[in-house]
């Protein structure tokens, strides 16, 4: 018998890159919370789990990691991954608004590259009002090469100073009342969270003393919560989404704790793989994050006339909780699943992958 020598080490296939399941799980939870908020309108939802701050923090960390490569290549890659799903979704939204009497002007260019809020009519407002997140994300991507250089000059001072713009806009200058002003407010509100992603990636948080981190986090959350509750009369609510300063500070403290705990205790949620169905859901949510975010409002819009039709079926009227918002929440997720199957492949194409129904 002839012995067969094992393959050389350099002949073995390189291990497939593993994803950070802690970050993946946070992103999935953030998307679920976004859909829940847009279904139920819970004012307290942002205090329990500030989804947008978390999503910007995660994106900032991944952006810092990617910028180990040439900046132009990274920015182009991010735009390529974002814009095709946006264009695909936007085609249907714009067409529907045109059918319902919308007459666009030159601002329609923002439906090509959403550096400003894309225009639309009131009929389609529930669908397009969520685009502020894509616009803000896109600006952060474009600014990240410069922001990262500035951050690395003096990480901790720059991180703390990143809360100053929202303070300036709140107390000194409210900015212009136009698309630029809206973008400025959103960038200022979530700048700390984005920079916090840089701090996590560069191991800045891991080197900070636990007592200092906890103190800063609680102080930021305390100020944000106090401002939200103390200004209910002015804003008509304590909902963080309506109060930029409160959102900025509450999200800053909350995301700081999450990022620091990740770095300090090396949390990776690797054990999630033992729970196959749950691990699968997290995988799908992350591979189809843009699709879920873009289409979830349309799913909730369509859920209303669909449930209205259920009332015409006696058995449904008798046995289904058609009046419950929880039932609408469930129908919304069923429709989101349909959109993931029908439209999610665009994210594969944008990422230069083979199109699949599910990742």
């Amino acid at each position: 018998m002839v012995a067969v020598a094992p393959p050389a080490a350099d002949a073995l296939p390189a291990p497939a890159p593993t994803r950070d399941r802690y970050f993946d799980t946070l992103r999935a939870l953030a998307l679920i919370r976004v859909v829940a908020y847009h279904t139920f309108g819970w004012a307290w939802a942002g205090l329990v789990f500030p989804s947008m701050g978390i999503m910007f923090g995660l994106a900032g960390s991944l952006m810092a990691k990617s910028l180990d490569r040439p900046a132009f290549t990274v920015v182009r890659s991010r735009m390529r991954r974002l814009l095709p799903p946006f264009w695909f979704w936007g085609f249907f939204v714009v067409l529907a608004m045109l059918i319902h009497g919308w007459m666009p002007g030159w601002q329609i260019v923002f439906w090509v590259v959403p550096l400003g809020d894309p225009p639309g009519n009131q009929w389609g407002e529930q669908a397009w009002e969520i685009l502020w997140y894509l616009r803000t994300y896109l600006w952060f991507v474009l600014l990240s090469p410069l922001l990262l250089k500035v951050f690395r000059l003096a990480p901790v001072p720059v991180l703390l100073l990143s809360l100053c713009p929202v303070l300036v806009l709140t107390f000194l200058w409210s900015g212009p009342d136009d698309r630029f002003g809206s973008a400025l407010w959103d960038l200022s509100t979530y700048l700390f969270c984005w920079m916090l992603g840089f701090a996590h990636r560069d191991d800045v948080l891991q080197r900070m003393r636990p007592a200092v981190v906890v103190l800063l986090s609680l102080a930021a959350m305390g100020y944000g919560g106090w401002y939200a509750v103390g200004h209910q009369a002015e804003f008509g609510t304590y909902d963080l989404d309506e109060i930029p300063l409160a959102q900025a500070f509450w999200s800053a403290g909350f995301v700081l704790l999450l990022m620091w705990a990740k770095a300090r205790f090396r949390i990776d949620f690797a054990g999630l793989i033992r729970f196959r169905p749950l691990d699968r859901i997290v995988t799908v949510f992350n591979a189809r994050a843009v699709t879920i975010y873009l289409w979830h409002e349309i799913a909730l819009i369509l859920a209303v006339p669909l449930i209205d039709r259920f009332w015409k079926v006696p058995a449904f009227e008798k046995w289904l909780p058609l009046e419950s918002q929880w039932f609408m929440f469930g129908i919304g997720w069923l429709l989101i699943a349909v959109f993931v199957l029908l439209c999610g492949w665009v994210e594969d194409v944008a990422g230069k992958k083979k199109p699949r129904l599910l990742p």
Side-chain angles (χ1 to χ4, degrees):
M1 180 178 294
V2 179
V4 178
D10 57 0
L12 295 175
T18 56
R19 292 186 60 92
D20 189 318
R21 299 310 269 170
Y22 178 73
F23 278 4
D24 285 350
T25 302
L26 288 178
R27 188 177 293 106
L29 289 174
L31 287 169
I32 292 171
R33 207 285 283 165
V34 166
V35 178
Y37 173 77
H38 288 152
T39 303
F40 300 101
W42 293 323
W44 48 263
L47 295 170
V48 174
F49 198 76
S51 290
M52 308 318 295
I54 291 170
M55 290 172 71
F56 281 118
L58 300 180
S61 179
L62 294 174
M63 191 67 187
K65 179 182 179 181
S66 297
L67 283 171
D68 291 338
R69 296 179 286 140
F72 177 79
T73 301
V74 173
V75 171
R76 182 181 61 184
S77 175
R78 286 291 189 275
M79 293 184 68
R80 188 191 69 236
R81 289 172 178 270
L82 177 69
L83 292 179
F86 166 67
W87 292 334
F88 183 81
W89 172 88
F91 171 80
F92 295 99
V93 174
V94 169
L95 180 61
M97 290 192 296
L98 290 173
I99 292 173
H100 285 82
W102 179 49
M103 293 294 293
W106 68 266
Q107 297 94 340
I108 198 172
V109 298
F110 293 117
W111 280 100
V112 180
V113 180
L115 292 174
D117 292 323
N121 60 7
Q122 189 174 2
W123 181 88
E125 183 176 1
Q126 187 175 343
W128 55 255
E129 66 180 352
I130 62 170
L131 292 178
W132 72 267
Y133 171 74
L134 269 68
R135 179 250 293 152
T136 307
Y137 173 83
L138 184 57
W139 272 112
F140 274 134
V141 166
L142 294 173
L143 293 172
S144 279
L146 176 60
L147 290 175
L148 187 57
K149 288 182 179 180
V150 173
F151 171 79
R152 286 174 173 169
L153 293 175
V156 174
V158 170
L159 181 61
L160 294 176
L161 286 172
S162 65
L163 282 169
C164 290
V166 72
L167 290 169
V168 171
L169 288 174
T170 301
F171 297 114
L172 298 178
W173 176 63
S174 61
D177 187 18
D178 55 17
R179 284 181 170 83
F180 176 74
S182 297
L184 198 60
W185 271 101
D186 291 329
L187 285 167
S188 300
T189 300
Y190 296 103
L191 178 61
F192 183 92
C193 292
W194 190 270
M195 303 289 275
L196 200 57
F198 293 172
H200 166 264
R201 184 57 57 184
D202 284 5
D203 291 330
V204 173
L205 301 180
Q206 194 171 1
R207 298 192 295 268
M208 295 177 68
R209 295 181 180 180
V212 173
V213 173
V214 173
L215 181 62
L216 289 175
S217 297
L218 294 180
M221 293 174 67
Y223 179 66
W226 168 82
Y227 191 87
V229 174
H231 290 75
Q232 287 188 72
E234 179 182 347
F235 292 95
T237 180
Y238 61 88
D239 188 338
L240 297 183
D241 283 357
E242 303 297 329
I243 312 172
L245 182 68
Q247 177 76 273
F249 275 83
W250 185 271
S251 296
F254 199 101
V255 179
L256 176 57
L257 281 177
L258 289 177
M259 291 285 193
W260 173 79
K262 160 70 177 172
R264 181 75 178 184
F265 303 110
R266 301 185 182 278
I267 305 172
D268 58 12
F269 281 12
L272 190 65
I273 196 172
R274 295 196 298 268
F275 305 93
R276 295 288 183 176
L278 187 58
D279 184 68
R280 181 72 175 138
I281 291 172
V282 170
T283 297
V284 172
F285 266 72
N286 281 269
R288 296 291 184 259
V290 177
T291 301
I292 293 171
Y293 184 79
L294 284 173
W295 290 93
H296 81 273
E297 278 285 20
I298 294 179
L300 294 175
I301 292 170
L302 294 177
V304 175
L306 181 59
I307 293 173
D308 287 343
R309 290 184 176 273
F310 288 173
W311 283 100
K312 299 178 181 180
V313 180
F316 289 172
E317 182 180 359
K318 181 177 180 181
W319 298 108
L320 294 180
L322 301 181
E323 295 180 343
S324 170
Q325 283 186 300
W326 283 102
F327 185 74
M328 179 180 173
F329 185 62
I331 294 296
W333 275 110
L334 288 175
L335 293 174
I336 290 171
V338 172
F339 284 126
V340 166
L341 293 173
L342 294 178
C343 311
W345 58 270
V346 181
E347 289 195 65
D348 291 329
V349 173
K352 294 186 176 179
K353 300 175 183 177
K354 181 179 179 181
R356 292 177 294 176
L357 284 178
L358 281 177

